[in-house]
Amino acid sequence: MRGRYNRTMLVLGIESSCDETGVALYEGGAAGGRLLAHALHSQVAMHAAYGGVVPELASRDHIRRVLPLTRHVLSAAARSLADLTGVAYTQGPGLAGALLVGASVANGLAYSLGVPAVGIHHLEGHLLSPLLADPAPEFPFVALLVSGGHTQLLAVEGVGEYRLLGESLDDAAGEAFDKTAMLLGLSYPGGAELSRLAEDGDPARFRLPRPMLDSGDLDFSFSGLKTAVLTLVRKHARVSELLTPDIRAAIARAFQEAVVDVLTAKALAALEATGRRRLVVAGGVGANKQLRERLRFECARRGVELFFPPLELCTDNGAMIALAGALRMDTGTHEYAYSVRPRWPLSELVVPR
Ligand code: KG4
Ligand code: ZN
């Protein structure tokens, strides 16, 4: 487990790109390692009253949480700051002020300890997060990244070797879940709640379109689906209070079926196009039960290996940032950085060799 450093690597990871402060400790590197501890503070309740994330409130809350969470993970893992060999933080994409909190704390700590501070791309964290599962996938694999801000299919050859196969041309899958949840009167972010509502829905009652299912490429589009839900909602009630519980549940079911159909079909097409036999799913929508079940069924039929991160590591967390930091440092493909990149396409990820 010793990398190019002469002691076992121990990386602190800090995630603060949006509305979750995540801190974690990962020990080891490319040849193997383990998550020693992770802790999370979600700001969801604080932002719920506003129907979305308020950036200034998010930054201030990250400031309050990040050091207590750091103390917590160190104590849970029975380690001290002096044991750290590096500090990784989410450099982007995300909210500028929120990112700056993690970047500043990480760099301050790293500088005072004389260890490297490494900026990590948030999506790289997500797409490597299935490596925290047991068993963990081996490279290469196809990754289906389905978060609140992104829907992408990637060919992953190794750490830092990512090729974009297709992505959403408009709304991300998670964003579509959240907007649809809002139309059904659920609170923000409504993906998980919509999924629970869908469980009681009659699958035969409504059928929604499957956007770009037959487009012949690996891109997605979800904004039309949200408009189709709006049309259904308007048809059944002028104001949402008049939507009966079973109509709401049936709409949620129809929406989820459509998204799951498209995500599954495109993920299978990506496997076919690349000849890969391994699929990993990451990002918040990867927690969706119906998506997990469908992919499990389809992959088993085709003899494709399927991996998910542990359920609590599907959504934003510090563990994936600590892991990505450890892998980057161990493979010598890290950059020392004290900057944030609020807009940062994964395709621009430069791998220094
Ligand atoms: O990856 P993530 O935590 O944040 C981003 O980086 O965007 O993903 C959050 C997204 C939200 O849109 C949330 O509604 C969605 O993941 N989500 C779900 C479920 N749990 C979280 N969507 C569908 N079903 C779920 N069970
Ligand atoms: Zn995320």
mmCIF file of all heavy atoms in Angstrom, residues 159-210:
data_model
loop_
_atom_site.group_PDB
_atom_site.id
_atom_site.type_symbol
_atom_site.label_atom_id
_atom_site.label_comp_id
_atom_site.label_asym_id
_atom_site.label_seq_id
_atom_site.Cartn_x
_atom_site.Cartn_y
_atom_site.Cartn_z
ATOM 1 N N VAL A 159 -6.990 5.899 -14.064
ATOM 2 C CA VAL A 159 -7.093 7.180 -13.361
ATOM 3 C C VAL A 159 -6.700 8.311 -14.318
ATOM 4 O O VAL A 159 -5.602 8.308 -14.871
ATOM 5 C CB VAL A 159 -6.167 7.199 -12.122
ATOM 6 C CG1 VAL A 159 -6.235 8.551 -11.431
ATOM 7 C CG2 VAL A 159 -6.547 6.086 -11.165
ATOM 8 N N GLY A 160 -7.599 9.231 -14.538
ATOM 9 C CA GLY A 160 -7.311 10.379 -15.409
ATOM 10 C C GLY A 160 -7.485 10.103 -16.884
ATOM 11 O O GLY A 160 -7.274 10.985 -17.703
ATOM 12 N N GLU A 161 -7.880 8.890 -17.230
ATOM 13 C CA GLU A 161 -8.056 8.566 -18.663
ATOM 14 C C GLU A 161 -9.531 8.364 -18.969
ATOM 15 O O GLU A 161 -10.054 7.254 -18.842
ATOM 16 C CB GLU A 161 -7.270 7.302 -19.010
ATOM 17 C CG GLU A 161 -5.775 7.467 -18.851
ATOM 18 C CD GLU A 161 -5.050 6.137 -19.042
ATOM 19 O OE1 GLU A 161 -5.183 5.521 -20.116
ATOM 20 O OE2 GLU A 161 -4.390 5.701 -18.083
ATOM 21 N N TYR A 162 -10.183 9.476 -19.293
ATOM 22 C CA TYR A 162 -11.633 9.457 -19.471
ATOM 23 C C TYR A 162 -11.985 9.961 -20.866
ATOM 24 O O TYR A 162 -11.497 10.997 -21.294
ATOM 25 C CB TYR A 162 -12.311 10.348 -18.425
ATOM 26 C CG TYR A 162 -11.745 10.181 -17.026
ATOM 27 C CD1 TYR A 162 -11.267 11.274 -16.322
ATOM 28 C CD2 TYR A 162 -11.665 8.929 -16.437
ATOM 29 C CE1 TYR A 162 -10.727 11.120 -15.043
ATOM 30 C CE2 TYR A 162 -11.116 8.770 -15.173
ATOM 31 C CZ TYR A 162 -10.648 9.869 -14.483
ATOM 32 O OH TYR A 162 -10.103 9.707 -13.245
ATOM 33 N N ARG A 163 -12.867 9.227 -21.548
ATOM 34 C CA ARG A 163 -13.319 9.657 -22.873
ATOM 35 C C ARG A 163 -14.840 9.788 -22.829
ATOM 36 O O ARG A 163 -15.535 8.844 -22.451
ATOM 37 C CB ARG A 163 -12.899 8.613 -23.916
ATOM 38 C CG ARG A 163 -13.165 9.017 -25.349
ATOM 39 C CD ARG A 163 -12.336 8.151 -26.300
ATOM 40 N NE ARG A 163 -12.457 6.720 -26.001
ATOM 41 C CZ ARG A 163 -13.394 5.923 -26.523
ATOM 42 N NH1 ARG A 163 -14.287 6.414 -27.374
ATOM 43 N NH2 ARG A 163 -13.448 4.640 -26.209
ATOM 44 N N LEU A 164 -15.301 10.998 -23.172
ATOM 45 C CA LEU A 164 -16.746 11.242 -23.147
ATOM 46 C C LEU A 164 -17.411 10.535 -24.318
ATOM 47 O O LEU A 164 -17.050 10.740 -25.470
ATOM 48 C CB LEU A 164 -17.009 12.755 -23.206
ATOM 49 C CG LEU A 164 -18.466 13.185 -23.056
ATOM 50 C CD1 LEU A 164 -18.987 12.859 -21.661
ATOM 51 C CD2 LEU A 164 -18.626 14.678 -23.341
ATOM 52 N N LEU A 165 -18.417 9.698 -24.010
ATOM 53 C CA LEU A 165 -19.123 8.969 -25.065
ATOM 54 C C LEU A 165 -20.441 9.652 -25.415
ATOM 55 O O LEU A 165 -20.909 9.599 -26.546
ATOM 56 C CB LEU A 165 -19.423 7.535 -24.604
ATOM 57 C CG LEU A 165 -18.215 6.673 -24.216
ATOM 58 C CD1 LEU A 165 -18.673 5.383 -23.556
ATOM 59 C CD2 LEU A 165 -17.392 6.356 -25.472
ATOM 60 N N GLY A 166 -21.054 10.291 -24.429
ATOM 61 C CA GLY A 166 -22.324 10.963 -24.665
ATOM 62 C C GLY A 166 -22.743 11.695 -23.410
ATOM 63 O O GLY A 166 -22.256 11.390 -22.317
ATOM 64 N N GLU A 167 -23.624 12.690 -23.585
ATOM 65 C CA GLU A 167 -24.074 13.447 -22.399
ATOM 66 C C GLU A 167 -25.415 14.096 -22.673
ATOM 67 O O GLU A 167 -25.891 14.102 -23.807
ATOM 68 C CB GLU A 167 -23.041 14.489 -22.012
ATOM 69 C CG GLU A 167 -22.863 15.592 -23.035
ATOM 70 C CD GLU A 167 -21.768 16.574 -22.651
ATOM 71 O OE1 GLU A 167 -21.499 16.715 -21.450
ATOM 72 O OE2 GLU A 167 -21.195 17.188 -23.557
ATOM 73 N N SER A 168 -25.990 14.675 -21.639
ATOM 74 C CA SER A 168 -27.281 15.325 -21.813
ATOM 75 C C SER A 168 -27.102 16.646 -22.542
ATOM 76 O O SER A 168 -26.186 17.411 -22.254
ATOM 77 C CB SER A 168 -27.939 15.569 -20.455
ATOM 78 O OG SER A 168 -29.168 16.245 -20.679
ATOM 79 N N LEU A 169 -27.995 16.877 -23.496
ATOM 80 C CA LEU A 169 -27.914 18.120 -24.269
ATOM 81 C C LEU A 169 -28.621 19.246 -23.535
ATOM 82 O O LEU A 169 -28.484 20.412 -23.894
ATOM 83 C CB LEU A 169 -28.544 17.909 -25.654
ATOM 84 C CG LEU A 169 -27.963 16.736 -26.455
ATOM 85 C CD1 LEU A 169 -28.704 16.559 -27.784
ATOM 86 C CD2 LEU A 169 -26.464 16.942 -26.700
ATOM 87 N N ASP A 170 -29.410 18.905 -22.509
ATOM 88 C CA ASP A 170 -30.096 19.956 -21.736
ATOM 89 C C ASP A 170 -30.073 19.595 -20.245
ATOM 90 O O ASP A 170 -29.022 19.589 -19.645
ATOM 91 C CB ASP A 170 -31.514 20.212 -22.275
ATOM 92 C CG ASP A 170 -32.249 18.918 -22.634
ATOM 93 O OD1 ASP A 170 -32.339 18.036 -21.757
ATOM 94 O OD2 ASP A 170 -32.721 18.786 -23.777
ATOM 95 N N ASP A 171 -31.228 19.290 -19.657
ATOM 96 C CA ASP A 171 -31.261 19.008 -18.215
ATOM 97 C C ASP A 171 -30.521 17.712 -17.885
ATOM 98 O O ASP A 171 -30.557 16.748 -18.646
ATOM 99 C CB ASP A 171 -32.712 18.837 -17.733
ATOM 100 C CG ASP A 171 -33.483 20.143 -17.788
ATOM 101 O OD1 ASP A 171 -32.873 21.183 -18.129
ATOM 102 O OD2 ASP A 171 -34.693 20.128 -17.492
ATOM 103 N N ALA A 172 -29.896 17.680 -16.714
ATOM 104 C CA ALA A 172 -29.322 16.429 -16.217
ATOM 105 C C ALA A 172 -30.454 15.568 -15.665
ATOM 106 O O ALA A 172 -31.536 16.081 -15.345
ATOM 107 C CB ALA A 172 -28.311 16.722 -15.126
ATOM 108 N N ALA A 173 -30.197 14.254 -15.519
ATOM 109 C CA ALA A 173 -31.239 13.350 -15.015
ATOM 110 C C ALA A 173 -31.715 13.790 -13.629
ATOM 111 O O ALA A 173 -32.920 13.850 -13.357
ATOM 112 C CB ALA A 173 -30.710 11.923 -14.977
ATOM 113 N N GLY A 174 -30.758 14.126 -12.741
ATOM 114 C CA GLY A 174 -31.136 14.545 -11.384
ATOM 115 C C GLY A 174 -31.952 15.827 -11.400
ATOM 116 O O GLY A 174 -32.915 15.978 -10.641
ATOM 117 N N GLU A 175 -31.551 16.731 -12.295
ATOM 118 C CA GLU A 175 -32.275 18.001 -12.423
ATOM 119 C C GLU A 175 -33.716 17.734 -12.875
ATOM 120 O O GLU A 175 -34.664 18.348 -12.378
ATOM 121 C CB GLU A 175 -31.521 18.825 -13.475
ATOM 122 C CG GLU A 175 -31.942 20.249 -13.644
ATOM 123 C CD GLU A 175 -31.063 20.913 -14.729
ATOM 124 O OE1 GLU A 175 -30.103 20.277 -15.242
ATOM 125 O OE2 GLU A 175 -31.349 22.075 -15.058
ATOM 126 N N ALA A 176 -33.882 16.792 -13.817
ATOM 127 C CA ALA A 176 -35.219 16.436 -14.289
ATOM 128 C C ALA A 176 -36.032 15.825 -13.142
ATOM 129 O O ALA A 176 -37.220 16.134 -12.972
ATOM 130 C CB ALA A 176 -35.119 15.460 -15.461
ATOM 131 N N PHE A 177 -35.396 14.984 -12.341
ATOM 132 C CA PHE A 177 -36.079 14.412 -11.167
ATOM 133 C C PHE A 177 -36.517 15.548 -10.240
ATOM 134 O O PHE A 177 -37.667 15.575 -9.771
ATOM 135 C CB PHE A 177 -35.140 13.467 -10.397
ATOM 136 C CG PHE A 177 -35.318 12.012 -10.731
ATOM 137 C CD1 PHE A 177 -34.527 11.402 -11.700
ATOM 138 C CD2 PHE A 177 -36.273 11.246 -10.076
ATOM 139 C CE1 PHE A 177 -34.699 10.055 -12.019
ATOM 140 C CE2 PHE A 177 -36.446 9.901 -10.374
ATOM 141 C CZ PHE A 177 -35.652 9.301 -11.355
ATOM 142 N N ASP A 178 -35.611 16.495 -9.976
ATOM 143 C CA ASP A 178 -35.924 17.575 -9.037
ATOM 144 C C ASP A 178 -37.026 18.487 -9.559
ATOM 145 O O ASP A 178 -37.920 18.892 -8.816
ATOM 146 C CB ASP A 178 -34.656 18.391 -8.732
ATOM 147 C CG ASP A 178 -33.621 17.573 -7.988
ATOM 148 O OD1 ASP A 178 -34.000 16.544 -7.388
ATOM 149 O OD2 ASP A 178 -32.436 17.947 -8.002
ATOM 150 N N LYS A 179 -36.968 18.822 -10.857
ATOM 151 C CA LYS A 179 -37.987 19.717 -11.425
ATOM 152 C C LYS A 179 -39.349 19.029 -11.457
ATOM 153 O O LYS A 179 -40.375 19.637 -11.193
ATOM 154 C CB LYS A 179 -37.573 20.163 -12.823
ATOM 155 C CG LYS A 179 -36.407 21.170 -12.804
ATOM 156 C CD LYS A 179 -36.010 21.559 -14.203
ATOM 157 C CE LYS A 179 -34.927 22.648 -14.168
ATOM 158 N NZ LYS A 179 -34.337 22.872 -15.516
ATOM 159 N N THR A 180 -39.353 17.739 -11.796
ATOM 160 C CA THR A 180 -40.608 16.984 -11.834
ATOM 161 C C THR A 180 -41.181 16.864 -10.419
ATOM 162 O O THR A 180 -42.386 17.011 -10.197
ATOM 163 C CB THR A 180 -40.374 15.590 -12.454
ATOM 164 O OG1 THR A 180 -39.884 15.791 -13.771
ATOM 165 C CG2 THR A 180 -41.643 14.763 -12.506
ATOM 166 N N ALA A 181 -40.297 16.635 -9.455
ATOM 167 C CA ALA A 181 -40.740 16.540 -8.056
ATOM 168 C C ALA A 181 -41.416 17.837 -7.637
ATOM 169 O O ALA A 181 -42.463 17.841 -6.985
ATOM 170 C CB ALA A 181 -39.545 16.244 -7.162
ATOM 171 N N MET A 182 -40.834 18.947 -8.063
ATOM 172 C CA MET A 182 -41.383 20.269 -7.733
ATOM 173 C C MET A 182 -42.783 20.416 -8.333
ATOM 174 O O MET A 182 -43.699 20.896 -7.675
ATOM 175 C CB MET A 182 -40.439 21.341 -8.295
ATOM 176 C CG MET A 182 -40.570 22.694 -7.672
ATOM 177 S SD MET A 182 -39.434 22.842 -6.312
ATOM 178 C CE MET A 182 -38.040 23.612 -7.120
ATOM 179 N N LEU A 183 -42.943 19.961 -9.593
ATOM 180 C CA LEU A 183 -44.251 20.047 -10.254
ATOM 181 C C LEU A 183 -45.292 19.213 -9.516
ATOM 182 O O LEU A 183 -46.484 19.504 -9.544
ATOM 183 C CB LEU A 183 -44.154 19.545 -11.701
ATOM 184 C CG LEU A 183 -43.371 20.409 -12.695
ATOM 185 C CD1 LEU A 183 -43.244 19.699 -14.034
ATOM 186 C CD2 LEU A 183 -44.063 21.753 -12.878
ATOM 187 N N LEU A 184 -44.818 18.166 -8.832
ATOM 188 C CA LEU A 184 -45.745 17.290 -8.103
ATOM 189 C C LEU A 184 -45.895 17.733 -6.642
ATOM 190 O O LEU A 184 -46.478 17.025 -5.827
ATOM 191 C CB LEU A 184 -45.262 15.836 -8.171
ATOM 192 C CG LEU A 184 -45.295 15.206 -9.571
ATOM 193 C CD1 LEU A 184 -44.687 13.816 -9.564
ATOM 194 C CD2 LEU A 184 -46.724 15.157 -10.114
ATOM 195 N N GLY A 185 -45.334 18.889 -6.332
ATOM 196 C CA GLY A 185 -45.514 19.455 -4.990
ATOM 197 C C GLY A 185 -44.579 18.899 -3.939
ATOM 198 O O GLY A 185 -44.828 19.044 -2.741
ATOM 199 N N LEU A 186 -43.485 18.238 -4.367
ATOM 200 C CA LEU A 186 -42.526 17.702 -3.396
ATOM 201 C C LEU A 186 -41.451 18.758 -3.129
ATOM 202 O O LEU A 186 -41.233 19.647 -3.938
ATOM 203 C CB LEU A 186 -41.881 16.421 -3.930
ATOM 204 C CG LEU A 186 -42.850 15.318 -4.357
ATOM 205 C CD1 LEU A 186 -42.107 14.156 -4.994
ATOM 206 C CD2 LEU A 186 -43.654 14.823 -3.150
ATOM 207 N N SER A 187 -40.770 18.621 -1.995
ATOM 208 C CA SER A 187 -39.784 19.647 -1.675
ATOM 209 C C SER A 187 -38.431 19.349 -2.340
ATOM 210 O O SER A 187 -38.147 18.218 -2.744
ATOM 211 C CB SER A 187 -39.621 19.779 -0.162
ATOM 212 O OG SER A 187 -39.301 18.531 0.372
ATOM 213 N N TYR A 188 -37.591 20.391 -2.427
ATOM 214 C CA TYR A 188 -36.297 20.298 -3.094
ATOM 215 C C TYR A 188 -35.242 19.674 -2.180
ATOM 216 O O TYR A 188 -35.230 19.994 -0.998
ATOM 217 C CB TYR A 188 -35.836 21.700 -3.510
ATOM 218 C CG TYR A 188 -34.492 21.709 -4.157
ATOM 219 C CD1 TYR A 188 -34.371 21.529 -5.531
ATOM 220 C CD2 TYR A 188 -33.334 21.846 -3.399
ATOM 221 C CE1 TYR A 188 -33.132 21.498 -6.128
ATOM 222 C CE2 TYR A 188 -32.094 21.811 -3.999
ATOM 223 C CZ TYR A 188 -31.994 21.638 -5.358
ATOM 224 O OH TYR A 188 -30.763 21.592 -5.939
ATOM 225 N N PRO A 189 -34.296 18.848 -2.640
ATOM 226 C CA PRO A 189 -34.259 18.199 -3.956
ATOM 227 C C PRO A 189 -35.122 16.946 -3.903
ATOM 228 O O PRO A 189 -34.992 16.137 -2.997
ATOM 229 C CB PRO A 189 -32.776 17.848 -4.106
ATOM 230 C CG PRO A 189 -32.293 17.621 -2.698
ATOM 231 C CD PRO A 189 -33.145 18.461 -1.794
ATOM 232 N N GLY A 190 -36.008 16.804 -4.880
ATOM 233 C CA GLY A 190 -37.066 15.808 -4.714
ATOM 234 C C GLY A 190 -36.823 14.449 -5.321
ATOM 235 O O GLY A 190 -37.735 13.606 -5.318
ATOM 236 N N GLY A 191 -35.610 14.178 -5.855
ATOM 237 C CA GLY A 191 -35.377 12.911 -6.551
ATOM 238 C C GLY A 191 -35.739 11.681 -5.733
ATOM 239 O O GLY A 191 -36.498 10.821 -6.195
ATOM 240 N N ALA A 192 -35.216 11.624 -4.510
ATOM 241 C CA ALA A 192 -35.450 10.438 -3.682
ATOM 242 C C ALA A 192 -36.929 10.334 -3.294
ATOM 243 O O ALA A 192 -37.510 9.243 -3.300
ATOM 244 C CB ALA A 192 -34.576 10.493 -2.440
ATOM 245 N N GLU A 193 -37.537 11.488 -2.997
ATOM 246 C CA GLU A 193 -38.947 11.484 -2.593
ATOM 247 C C GLU A 193 -39.848 11.084 -3.773
ATOM 248 O O GLU A 193 -40.814 10.336 -3.622
ATOM 249 C CB GLU A 193 -39.324 12.880 -2.093
ATOM 250 C CG GLU A 193 -40.216 12.846 -0.866
ATOM 251 C CD GLU A 193 -40.618 14.250 -0.450
ATOM 252 O OE1 GLU A 193 -39.728 15.128 -0.388
ATOM 253 O OE2 GLU A 193 -41.808 14.466 -0.211
ATOM 254 N N LEU A 194 -39.503 11.591 -4.964
ATOM 255 C CA LEU A 194 -40.280 11.232 -6.149
ATOM 256 C C LEU A 194 -40.211 9.722 -6.371
ATOM 257 O O LEU A 194 -41.201 9.076 -6.708
ATOM 258 C CB LEU A 194 -39.738 11.978 -7.372
ATOM 259 C CG LEU A 194 -40.531 11.751 -8.662
ATOM 260 C CD1 LEU A 194 -40.657 13.056 -9.441
ATOM 261 C CD2 LEU A 194 -39.922 10.699 -9.540
ATOM 262 N N SER A 195 -39.031 9.167 -6.132
ATOM 263 C CA SER A 195 -38.848 7.744 -6.332
ATOM 264 C C SER A 195 -39.709 6.933 -5.348
ATOM 265 O O SER A 195 -40.288 5.903 -5.710
ATOM 266 C CB SER A 195 -37.363 7.447 -6.162
ATOM 267 O OG SER A 195 -37.143 6.094 -6.070
ATOM 268 N N ARG A 196 -39.814 7.426 -4.116
ATOM 269 C CA ARG A 196 -40.677 6.739 -3.125
ATOM 270 C C ARG A 196 -42.139 6.850 -3.536
ATOM 271 O O ARG A 196 -42.904 5.895 -3.455
ATOM 272 C CB ARG A 196 -40.480 7.339 -1.732
ATOM 273 C CG ARG A 196 -39.228 6.811 -1.028
ATOM 274 C CD ARG A 196 -39.221 7.174 0.439
ATOM 275 N NE ARG A 196 -39.035 8.599 0.653
ATOM 276 C CZ ARG A 196 -37.848 9.202 0.654
ATOM 277 N NH1 ARG A 196 -36.746 8.511 0.445
ATOM 278 N NH2 ARG A 196 -37.758 10.499 0.856
ATOM 279 N N LEU A 197 -42.544 8.036 -4.032
ATOM 280 C CA LEU A 197 -43.926 8.242 -4.475
ATOM 281 C C LEU A 197 -44.247 7.302 -5.641
ATOM 282 O O LEU A 197 -45.342 6.722 -5.719
ATOM 283 C CB LEU A 197 -44.100 9.716 -4.892
ATOM 284 C CG LEU A 197 -45.457 10.161 -5.389
ATOM 285 C CD1 LEU A 197 -46.510 10.060 -4.276
ATOM 286 C CD2 LEU A 197 -45.402 11.616 -5.894
ATOM 287 N N ALA A 198 -43.272 7.128 -6.538
ATOM 288 C CA ALA A 198 -43.483 6.297 -7.739
ATOM 289 C C ALA A 198 -43.772 4.839 -7.383
ATOM 290 O O ALA A 198 -44.458 4.133 -8.130
ATOM 291 C CB ALA A 198 -42.250 6.379 -8.632
ATOM 292 N N GLU A 199 -43.275 4.389 -6.227
ATOM 293 C CA GLU A 199 -43.471 2.986 -5.841
ATOM 294 C C GLU A 199 -44.948 2.618 -5.730
ATOM 295 O O GLU A 199 -45.341 1.486 -5.973
ATOM 296 C CB GLU A 199 -42.772 2.704 -4.502
ATOM 297 C CG GLU A 199 -41.292 2.475 -4.696
ATOM 298 C CD GLU A 199 -40.567 2.177 -3.402
ATOM 299 O OE1 GLU A 199 -41.195 1.693 -2.441
ATOM 300 O OE2 GLU A 199 -39.348 2.453 -3.365
ATOM 301 N N ASP A 200 -45.786 3.615 -5.352
ATOM 302 C CA ASP A 200 -47.222 3.345 -5.224
ATOM 303 C C ASP A 200 -47.987 3.636 -6.512
ATOM 304 O O ASP A 200 -49.211 3.525 -6.552
ATOM 305 C CB ASP A 200 -47.827 4.235 -4.107
ATOM 306 C CG ASP A 200 -47.116 4.028 -2.786
ATOM 307 O OD1 ASP A 200 -46.717 2.885 -2.513
ATOM 308 O OD2 ASP A 200 -46.956 5.025 -2.040
ATOM 309 N N GLY A 201 -47.286 4.083 -7.553
ATOM 310 C CA GLY A 201 -47.982 4.523 -8.764
ATOM 311 C C GLY A 201 -48.368 3.381 -9.684
ATOM 312 O O GLY A 201 -47.632 2.404 -9.823
ATOM 313 N N ASP A 202 -49.525 3.545 -10.332
ATOM 314 C CA ASP A 202 -50.011 2.553 -11.296
ATOM 315 C C ASP A 202 -49.198 2.711 -12.588
ATOM 316 O O ASP A 202 -49.307 3.738 -13.261
ATOM 317 C CB ASP A 202 -51.503 2.821 -11.536
ATOM 318 C CG ASP A 202 -52.068 1.934 -12.639
ATOM 319 O OD1 ASP A 202 -51.312 1.103 -13.178
ATOM 320 O OD2 ASP A 202 -53.263 2.093 -12.947
ATOM 321 N N PRO A 203 -48.416 1.673 -12.962
ATOM 322 C CA PRO A 203 -47.550 1.823 -14.133
ATOM 323 C C PRO A 203 -48.322 1.912 -15.448
ATOM 324 O O PRO A 203 -47.784 2.360 -16.461
ATOM 325 C CB PRO A 203 -46.675 0.568 -14.090
ATOM 326 C CG PRO A 203 -47.415 -0.414 -13.259
ATOM 327 C CD PRO A 203 -48.269 0.371 -12.304
ATOM 328 N N ALA A 204 -49.583 1.463 -15.436
ATOM 329 C CA ALA A 204 -50.331 1.425 -16.694
ATOM 330 C C ALA A 204 -51.115 2.715 -16.955
ATOM 331 O O ALA A 204 -51.677 2.906 -18.025
ATOM 332 C CB ALA A 204 -51.288 0.236 -16.670
ATOM 333 N N ARG A 205 -51.138 3.601 -15.980
ATOM 334 C CA ARG A 205 -52.026 4.758 -16.102
ATOM 335 C C ARG A 205 -51.537 5.798 -17.136
ATOM 336 O O ARG A 205 -52.317 6.305 -17.935
ATOM 337 C CB ARG A 205 -52.160 5.435 -14.736
ATOM 338 C CG ARG A 205 -53.150 6.560 -14.758
ATOM 339 C CD ARG A 205 -53.954 6.591 -13.517
ATOM 340 N NE ARG A 205 -55.012 7.556 -13.626
ATOM 341 C CZ ARG A 205 -55.877 7.801 -12.693
ATOM 342 N NH1 ARG A 205 -55.820 7.110 -11.568
ATOM 343 N NH2 ARG A 205 -56.814 8.687 -12.860
ATOM 344 N N PHE A 206 -50.272 6.135 -17.100
ATOM 345 C CA PHE A 206 -49.731 7.124 -18.038
ATOM 346 C C PHE A 206 -48.486 6.560 -18.714
ATOM 347 O O PHE A 206 -47.768 5.749 -18.128
ATOM 348 C CB PHE A 206 -49.308 8.413 -17.316
ATOM 349 C CG PHE A 206 -50.412 9.062 -16.535
ATOM 350 C CD1 PHE A 206 -50.336 9.130 -15.147
ATOM 351 C CD2 PHE A 206 -51.515 9.619 -17.171
ATOM 352 C CE1 PHE A 206 -51.338 9.727 -14.404
ATOM 353 C CE2 PHE A 206 -52.533 10.217 -16.438
ATOM 354 C CZ PHE A 206 -52.447 10.269 -15.052
ATOM 355 N N ARG A 207 -48.250 7.051 -19.933
ATOM 356 C CA ARG A 207 -46.972 6.724 -20.583
ATOM 357 C C ARG A 207 -46.365 8.014 -21.108
ATOM 358 O O ARG A 207 -47.014 8.780 -21.816
ATOM 359 C CB ARG A 207 -47.189 5.733 -21.722
ATOM 360 C CG ARG A 207 -45.851 5.242 -22.252
ATOM 361 C CD ARG A 207 -45.982 4.190 -23.338
ATOM 362 N NE ARG A 207 -44.706 4.078 -24.042
ATOM 363 C CZ ARG A 207 -43.678 3.352 -23.619
ATOM 364 N NH1 ARG A 207 -43.769 2.662 -22.507
ATOM 365 N NH2 ARG A 207 -42.552 3.313 -24.312
ATOM 366 N N LEU A 208 -45.136 8.264 -20.736
ATOM 367 C CA LEU A 208 -44.446 9.478 -21.167
ATOM 368 C C LEU A 208 -43.422 9.123 -22.249
ATOM 369 O O LEU A 208 -43.008 7.971 -22.347
ATOM 370 C CB LEU A 208 -43.751 10.135 -19.965
ATOM 371 C CG LEU A 208 -44.711 10.750 -18.935
ATOM 372 C CD1 LEU A 208 -43.959 11.182 -17.686
ATOM 373 C CD2 LEU A 208 -45.470 11.925 -19.528
ATOM 374 N N PRO A 209 -43.030 10.119 -23.065
ATOM 375 C CA PRO A 209 -42.043 9.832 -24.127
ATOM 376 C C PRO A 209 -40.686 9.398 -23.583
ATOM 377 O O PRO A 209 -40.352 9.699 -22.426
ATOM 378 C CB PRO A 209 -41.914 11.172 -24.861
ATOM 379 C CG PRO A 209 -42.553 12.192 -23.999
ATOM 380 C CD PRO A 209 -43.464 11.506 -23.035
ATOM 381 N N ARG A 210 -39.931 8.684 -24.395
ATOM 382 C CA ARG A 210 -38.547 8.290 -24.065
ATOM 383 C C ARG A 210 -37.631 9.133 -24.951
ATOM 384 O O ARG A 210 -37.259 8.706 -26.049
ATOM 385 C CB ARG A 210 -38.303 6.813 -24.379
ATOM 386 C CG ARG A 210 -38.573 5.861 -23.234
ATOM 387 C CD ARG A 210 -40.017 5.693 -22.955
ATOM 388 N NE ARG A 210 -40.269 4.697 -21.918
ATOM 389 C CZ ARG A 210 -41.268 4.779 -21.051
ATOM 390 N NH1 ARG A 210 -42.109 5.814 -21.062
ATOM 391 N NH2 ARG A 210 -41.462 3.842 -20.157
#
